[in-house]
């Protein structure tokens, strides 16, 4: 049993998971420390408020509010969990986008732009195709496929300039991000192609596009609304999990996945082995872009979210948040499911801190920042774990048995031993 545990402990995957868990624990601990420090520096907060803040940092997902006496209560909160799953859906897919590209030796920082292009294509198709003549479920499929395709096309651009011009994909992605932001803004602005999609029903809002439910197009709940009532959850989370499993199979069980990873390990060696490195670079970025576009499609096809089209001032955070999701999961497609849920859980924790205490949700942003910072040092943490493992094994190993012939103390072999 000890030998099996030692083998498991020595595996690189185990060390990677432990490094991520250590990053998460340290981040949560620092968040709790910040809660305490803010409480100490604010005279209006007492020890009770600080203790409530610490409890919410670690267990805010299961907070059920306050009882009649004003005390925090905890338990199964289906609304919080359902909202967490809804928020996790796009994070899982943008995390997959970054992870797949990273496995092939590319850093896809262009997920925000791909997400925006997927958003635009999804909304245009979902709101422009009349559901009076085309069934709403078919419109949903067309919009989802169109959003994924738009993201794939936008992801191809950095892949093409990387493959054929050897321009760094990070620089190309940054350019395509801002081109997408301004292009989408122009597409929905007044006097442009799709100004008719602006929400004119609710006059209190400006620069918003109709929800897809306005056209009767929205993702099926698939029974999840019965498990998590009063939440935004829908079948999108199940679709995201299926996509993550398919990406795991693609990257680890298929010839294409092997070729993609081979190009990531050594582009020139892969080419020498007969693998088309240029094709695989472009294909990798196309797959990454399609995943980001799919993230946008599932988020806005939920039918309960409006799109703020005036995006030229900032890029969608969901695209960038895919980076820590992928890093924490060590770019493992299955691990991305759990890290995506963890990151969305921190969003819920931030809302609970704001609604139930005198603290605000920005504390959780600090926690995420620390976790991301530590995940960048995951190699150092893995080396520390490896050093501890080697010391443990060395202490557990028995002393080596000498195979030299016995001697009588004067350096000559005893009687019966071999003669030189």
């Amino acid at each position: 049993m000890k030998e099996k545990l030692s083998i498991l402990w020595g595996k690189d995957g185990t060390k990677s998971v432990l490094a991520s868990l250590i990053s998460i624990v340290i981040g949560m601990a620092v968040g709790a420390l910040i809660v305490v420090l803010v409480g100490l520096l604010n005279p209006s907060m007492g020890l009770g408020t600080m203790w409530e803040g610490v409890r919410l940092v670690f267990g805010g997902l299961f907070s059920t509010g306050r009882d009649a006496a004003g005390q925090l209560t905890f338990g199964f909160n289906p609304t919080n969990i359902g909202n967490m799953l809804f928020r996790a859906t796009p994070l899982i897919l943008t995390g997959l986008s970054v992870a797949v590209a990273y496995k092939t030796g590319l850093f896809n920082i262009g997920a925000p732009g791909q997400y925006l292009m997927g958003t635009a294509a999804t909304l245009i198709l979902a709101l422009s195709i009349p559901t009076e003549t085309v069934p709403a479920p078919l419109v949903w499929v067309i919009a989802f496929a169109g959003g994924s395709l738009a993201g794939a096309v936008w992801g191809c651009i950095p892949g093409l300039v990387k493959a054929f011009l050897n321009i760094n994909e990070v620089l190309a992605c940054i350019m395509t991000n801002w081109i997408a932001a301004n292009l989408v803004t122009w597409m929905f602005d007044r006097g442009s192609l799709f100004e008719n999609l602006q929400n004119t029903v609710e006059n209190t809002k400006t620069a918003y596009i109709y929800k897809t439910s306005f056209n009767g197009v929205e993702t099926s709940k698939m029974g999840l609304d019965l498990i998590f009532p009063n939440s935004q959850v829908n079948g999108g989370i199940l679709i995201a999990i299926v996509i993550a499993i398919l990406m795991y199979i693609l990257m680890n069980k298929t010839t294409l996945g092997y070729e993609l990873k081979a190009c990531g390990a050594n582009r020139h060696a892969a080419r020498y082995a007969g693998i088309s490195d240029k094709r695989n670079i472009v294909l990798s970025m196309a797959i990454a872009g399609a995943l980001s576009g799919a993230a946008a499609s599932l988020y806005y096809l939920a039918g309960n979210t409006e799109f703020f089209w005036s995006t030229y001032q900032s890029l969608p955070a969901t695209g960038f948040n895919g980076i820590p999701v992928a890093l924490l999961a060590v770019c493992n497609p299955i691990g991305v499911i759990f890290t995506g849920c963890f990151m969305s859980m921190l969003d819920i924790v931030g809302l609970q801190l704001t609604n139930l205490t005198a603290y605000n949700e920005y504390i959780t942003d600090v926690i995420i920042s620390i976790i991301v910072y530590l995940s960048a040092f995951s190699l150092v943490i893995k080396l520390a774990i490896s050093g501890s493992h080697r010391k443990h094994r060395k202490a557990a190993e028995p002393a080596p048995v000498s195979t030299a012939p016995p001697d009588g103390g004067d350096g000559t072999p005893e009687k019966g031993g071999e003669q030189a």
Side-chain angles (χ1 to χ4, degrees), residues 199-417:
N199 188 344
T200 57
V201 176
E202 300 175 82
N203 296 323
T204 57
K205 297 183 177 181
T206 57
Y208 280 90
I209 302 302
Y210 287 112
K211 301 173 185 177
T212 57
S213 55
F214 181 79
N215 206 31
V217 179
E218 54 186 315
T219 306
S220 169
K221 300 290 185 180
M222 296 185 186
L224 293 177
D225 55 329
L226 302 177
I227 304 173
F228 308 105
N230 302 318
S231 71
Q232 295 177 299
V233 71
N234 57 47
I237 182 64
L238 301 180
I239 297 172
I241 291 172
V242 170
I243 292 174
I245 294 171
L246 291 175
M247 293 311 303
Y248 175 83
I249 294 171
L250 172 68
M251 297 302 295
N252 295 285
K253 306 295 181 182
T254 67
T255 303
L256 175 59
Y258 173 80
E259 291 183 354
L260 290 172
K261 290 193 290 186
C263 287
N266 191 318
R267 176 181 177 181
H268 304 290
R271 186 193 306 157
Y272 182 77
I275 298 172
S276 176
D277 58 320
K278 292 181 179 179
R279 182 202 69 183
N280 284 304
I281 287 172
V282 176
L283 184 57
S284 171
M285 287 302 295
I287 294 172
L291 290 167
S292 293
S297 291
L298 289 181
Y299 185 71
Y300 287 102
L301 284 172
N304 53 21
T305 306
E306 294 171 308
F307 175 56
F308 179 70
W309 55 260
S310 186
T311 58
Y312 55 85
Q313 295 177 346
S314 63
L315 293 167
T318 306
F320 290 116
N321 288 342
I323 297 173
V325 168
L327 287 176
L328 275 179
V330 203
C331 294
N332 184 300
I334 302 300
V336 164
I337 298 172
F338 299 99
T339 54
C341 290
F342 172 74
M343 286 296 182
S344 63
M345 182 201 75
L346 290 180
D347 285 340
I348 301 299
V349 168
L351 292 175
Q352 295 292 82
L353 279 171
T354 302
N355 295 332
L356 299 174
T357 68
Y359 296 99
N360 59 53
E361 72 273 17
Y362 299 112
I363 290 175
T364 56
D365 291 338
V366 175
I367 295 174
I368 293 173
S369 302
I370 293 167
I371 291 172
V372 173
Y373 188 78
L374 289 172
S375 65
F377 288 92
S378 59
L379 180 60
V380 177
I381 299 174
K382 285 170 65 176
L383 289 174
I385 294 172
S386 299
S388 173
H389 175 62
R390 283 195 296 269
K391 289 180 182 178
H392 177 74
R393 286 190 63 183
K394 190 173 181 180
E397 288 175 355
V401 180
S402 176
T403 58
D407 64 87
D410 58 355
T412 59
E414 287 185 337
K415 188 175 180 179

Side-chain angles (χ1 to χ4, degrees), residues 9-295:
W9 179 263
K11 287 184 176 180
D12 185 69
T14 304
K15 295 173 186 174
S16 299
V17 171
L18 286 173
S20 296
L21 290 175
I22 289 170
S23 300
I24 289 171
V25 170
I26 293 175
M28 300 290 280
V30 171
L33 180 61
I34 291 172
V35 166
V36 173
L37 290 175
V38 170
L40 291 174
L41 295 174
N42 193 331
S44 63
M45 295 184 185
L47 291 175
T49 303
M50 286 186 281
W51 174 235
E52 288 179 348
V54 171
R55 291 168 68 193
L56 286 174
V57 165
F58 287 97
L61 183 65
F62 301 100
S63 172
T64 54
R66 294 184 180 275
D67 58 18
Q71 299 297 316
L72 285 179
T73 57
F74 293 86
F76 178 72
N77 190 328
T79 302
N80 279 353
I81 296 174
N83 288 334
M84 181 268 290
L85 293 174
F86 172 72
R87 291 166 179 255
T89 301
L91 285 178
I92 290 171
L93 291 172
T94 53
L96 283 173
S97 174
V98 175
V100 169
Y102 189 82
K103 283 288 187 181
T104 56
L106 301 168
F107 186 43
N108 181 28
I109 202 172
Q114 297 149 17
Y115 185 91
L116 278 175
M117 295 306 291
T119 299
T122 298
L123 292 173
I124 289 169
L125 290 170
L127 294 171
S128 298
I129 300 175
T131 51
E132 294 82 6
T133 55
V134 181
L138 180 57
V139 175
W140 188 99
V141 173
I142 294 171
F144 179 73
S148 301
L149 181 61
V153 171
W154 207 250
C156 274
I157 298 173
L160 287 168
V161 298
K162 171 70 174 179
F164 293 96
L165 301 176
N166 201 28
I167 295 175
N168 188 282
E169 72 276 5
V170 173
L171 297 177
C173 284
I174 292 172
M175 295 297 102
T176 54
N177 279 344
W178 288 107
I179 292 172
N182 286 276
L183 181 61
V184 171
T185 299
W186 169 77
M187 288 168 65
F188 293 118
D189 203 354
R190 290 183 178 84
S192 61
L193 295 174
F194 303 103
E195 66 169 331
N196 61 308
L197 301 183
Q198 292 184 32
N199 188 344
T200 57
V201 176
E202 300 175 82
N203 296 323
T204 57
K205 297 183 177 181
T206 57
Y208 280 90
I209 302 302
Y210 287 112
K211 301 173 185 177
T212 57
S213 55
F214 181 79
N215 206 31
V217 179
E218 54 186 315
T219 306
S220 169
K221 300 290 185 180
M222 296 185 186
L224 293 177
D225 55 329
L226 302 177
I227 304 173
F228 308 105
N230 302 318
S231 71
Q232 295 177 299
V233 71
N234 57 47
I237 182 64
L238 301 180
I239 297 172
I241 291 172
V242 170
I243 292 174
I245 294 171
L246 291 175
M247 293 311 303
Y248 175 83
I249 294 171
L250 172 68
M251 297 302 295
N252 295 285
K253 306 295 181 182
T254 67
T255 303
L256 175 59
Y258 173 80
E259 291 183 354
L260 290 172
K261 290 193 290 186
C263 287
N266 191 318
R267 176 181 177 181
H268 304 290
R271 186 193 306 157
Y272 182 77
I275 298 172
S276 176
D277 58 320
K278 292 181 179 179
R279 182 202 69 183
N280 284 304
I281 287 172
V282 176
L283 184 57
S284 171
M285 287 302 295
I287 294 172
L291 290 167
S292 293

